[in-house]
Amino acid sequence: MDFKLILESSYREMLRRYIEDSSEAALYQGQMFSRKSIKQQISPEEIISIHCKVLKDLYPDIREEILASFDFLIEFMMNYGLAYQELQSLRDKQVEIKSEIEVAASIQENLLETPIPKHAEVDIGAISIPAKKINGDFYRFVEDESSISIAIADVIGKGIPAALCMSMIKYAMDNIPKYRDNPNDVLAILNRVVESNLDSSMFITMFYGVYDFIKHSFTYAAAGHEQGFYYNASSQSFEDLKTRGMVLGVEQNITYEQYERKVKSGDIIVLLSDGVTESKTEKGFIERSVITDFIQTYMHLSAQEMVENVYRQIERLQNYEIRDDFTLIIVKRV
């Protein structure tokens, strides 16, 4: 027998019993038929149509206006059902995208993981906190017997494309070891890689430096990256690490200027992304002097404790809502 006929007959009896004596048993039986109706793919509109027909059978004198209202309800429920399905589809897609982003973030973390070097000559601290799941900032250390290479970069763009860009930069860096001691050459090579492989709407800013343990010098170059700071221990003052250079990926053949500084005992090199300098409070962007004041406050601590404390202070200034990826590196000559 057709399930719809069974449902109509049973629905008539359940509705009659409920109207006459508010039967709890009728409600329970209705729950059972609801589950069966779902399995039989009976739509809500069909249930309303059955309800309307049963009412007319039970109450032949029912006003036509009341019955007409159920026609309106059927149309309303059909539109509601379509809208609900669309919403569910969007939610399912959001869950799927969220899952993919979490996987991408985990892969990115594993691919770009770089141990912070431990060395008797320098104390190094680093922190990189993404504003969202995927980090658009990148830093990397490469150490050999006489030096440490330090790279910090920021993709102009976010999300999974940014993560892919950073992976490309990381592997490109790993394949140019013979140029590693010349930051200007490193940036020139990476610029050609980025320009050849990235969409024209994506660019990367980058700072690349080499700390030489033997000469105690810091040689560096930058590609449109945020200026860092240099702390002179003898004068107890900060100054900007001035640089020049076009961002990576704009033109194929670009040369970069290279700079060198002698690093004395107690001197500090501070490298950062614009997520640090462009931290925003209710009063606007923080001054660069606020960052150096925080660094000076925690100068008695280890480099790692310094970067962590500076991050906490800036996070507090922003009401614990980081709006951009935050990366800070401190290199202090012991």
Side-chain angles (χ1 to χ4, degrees), residues 146-209:
S146 62
S147 66
I148 293 178
S149 300
I150 306 168
I152 179 170
D154 183 4
V155 175
I156 302 174
K158 305 298 177 189
I160 294 177
L164 294 173
C165 289
M166 289 309 179
S167 298
M168 179 184 68
I169 287 290
K170 184 257 188 186
Y171 285 105
M173 284 179 59
D174 289 348
N175 286 294
I176 52 174
K178 66 179 180 178
Y179 299 102
R180 194 168 289 149
D181 292 339
N182 299 305
N184 57 342
D185 292 337
V186 169
L187 292 183
I189 294 170
L190 293 178
N191 174 65
R192 290 194 289 272
V193 171
V194 171
E195 198 277 336
S196 299
N197 293 280
L198 286 191
D199 182 87
S200 59
S201 64
M202 296 193 72
F203 307 102
I204 299 174
T205 71
M206 189 170 186
F207 183 103
Y208 185 88

Side-chain angles (χ1 to χ4, degrees), residues 11 53 57 109 134 136 146 157 162 173 182 189 206 218 226 248 264 267 271 291:
Y11 192 92
K53 183 178 181 182
D57 290 344
E109 186 177 355
I134 301 293
S146 62
M173 284 179 59
N182 299 305
I189 294 170
M206 189 170 186
F218 185 61
E226 187 71 28
L248 303 180
K264 297 178 181 179
D267 286 1
L271 308 179
I291 302 167

